[in-house]
Amino acid sequence: QITVKESGPTLVKPTQTLTLTCTFSGFSLTTDGVGVGWIRQPPGKALEWLGIIYWDDGKRYSPSLKSRLTITRDTAKNQVVLTMTDMDPIDTATYYCAHGSNIWVFDYWGQGTLVTVSS
Amino acid sequence: DIQMTQSPSTLPASVGDRVTITCRASQSVSDWVAWYQQKPGKAPKVLIYRASTLETGVPSRFSGSGSGTEFTLTISSLQPDDFATYYCQQYNSYSTFGQGTRLEIK
């Protein structure tokens, strides 16, 4: 059974760096065709894809956020870490991580974690 | 970036109705499109991938079609559990979600 869960701070100050951890079970991120993606959703708004890490450690980022994002993995701990620099109030959102089947189809999602950016 | 534009933004409907949601891509995405359902306070759930393939466990009243730049999600006979927000996603070039279609009770 696949599960994923996000963890990290609920409140960050403007200009700070956000670090979120996705802890998963039920699959290996070294299995061919698997990805773990990050998606966010501002309150009352649409989903926004942020980035993804592949089974072979390849990474892709949203072009509009690429300069601020880093995704890494720890295969021994079954974790993926998202780092977003220079946080702004417009980055306030629920952040989700999700298992990617055939890499890009997100079939198992975490519950999401609401991150508020405020001084 | 590839933009995905959904229509309508809001769709009033009744139980038993047949409804269709459209998603248009700003450039061809072949058939690399998925559809998700999201209920308030919950994570999205994948319904369809590769434009027309039904995810395991999803009721057969859901169907998807299209290729290139135009895609549709159809629910053949609305059930009470289907009132939710629906998103399309392209994954031909990185990934982009549409702005969502809220299916509400008429």
Side-chain angles (χ1 to χ4, degrees):
Chain A
Q1 180 187 358
I2 292 175
T3 64
V4 293
K5 186 175 182 180
E6 309 86 354
S7 59
T10 58
L11 178 66
V12 298
K13 290 180 167 47
T15 75
Q16 287 187 336
T17 295
L18 171 68
T19 300
L20 294 175
T21 300
C22 177
T23 302
F24 58 86
S25 64
F27 68 95
S28 171
L29 193 43
T30 59
T31 299
D32 196 346
V34 170
V36 171
W38 286 95
I39 302 99
R40 71 178 179 181
Q41 186 172 37
K45 296 189 177 181
L47 301 168
E48 179 183 17
W49 174 75
L50 300 178
I52 194 166
I53 187 165
Y54 300 158
W55 80 99
D56 62 358
D57 205 30
K59 297 149 195 177
R60 299 292 184 270
Y61 299 105
S62 166
S64 62
L65 293 168
K66 184 177 181 179
S67 64
R68 300 173 54 205
L69 295 175
T70 304
I71 298 176
T72 60
R73 68 178 185 175
D74 184 328
T75 55
K77 292 183 178 180
N78 281 351
Q79 291 181 333
V80 170
V81 175
L82 172 76
T83 302
M84 179 179 289
T85 62
D86 195 23
M87 294 291 284
D88 184 273
I90 63 169
D91 296 313
T92 293
T94 296
Y95 287 74
Y96 294 100
C97 67
H99 169 272
S101 172
N102 296 311
I103 306 175
W104 292 95
V105 177
F106 300 119
D107 53 357
Y108 293 91
W109 294 64
Q111 63 190 21
T113 186
L114 175 61
V115 178
T116 301
V117 184
S118 175
S119 54
Chain B
D1 296 15
I2 297 176
Q3 308 303 317
M4 301 295 281
T5 303
Q6 289 183 232
S7 60
S9 296
T10 305
L11 179 55
S14 301
V15 172
D17 284 353
R18 178 184 179 91
V19 299
T20 297
I21 298 168
T22 298
C23 188
R24 290 186 172 85
S26 58
Q27 63 190 74
S28 177
V29 296
S30 185
D31 61 355
W32 301 110
V33 166
W35 290 92
Y36 297 81
Q37 176 194 68
Q38 186 180 32
K39 296 182 178 179
K42 300 294 187 181
K45 170 188 173 184
V46 64
L47 303 173
I48 302 278
Y49 61 94
R50 203 75 190 266
S52 60
T53 302
L54 197 67
E55 174 74 356
T56 302
V58 174
S60 59
R61 64 181 180 273
F62 291 91
S63 64
S65 66
S67 67
T69 61
E70 186 153 336
F71 302 86
T72 59
L73 172 70
T74 298
I75 309 172
S76 60
S77 179
L78 269 177
Q79 299 301 301
D81 190 50
D82 300 338
F83 291 96
T85 300
Y86 293 84
Y87 293 94
C88 60
Q89 175 211 11
Q90 70 82 16
Y91 51 104
N92 178 72
S93 174
Y94 295 75
S95 185
T96 319
F97 288 91
Q99 83 277 17
T101 294
R102 183 182 172 211
L103 185 53
E104 62 179 29
I105 299 173
K106 186 185 289 184

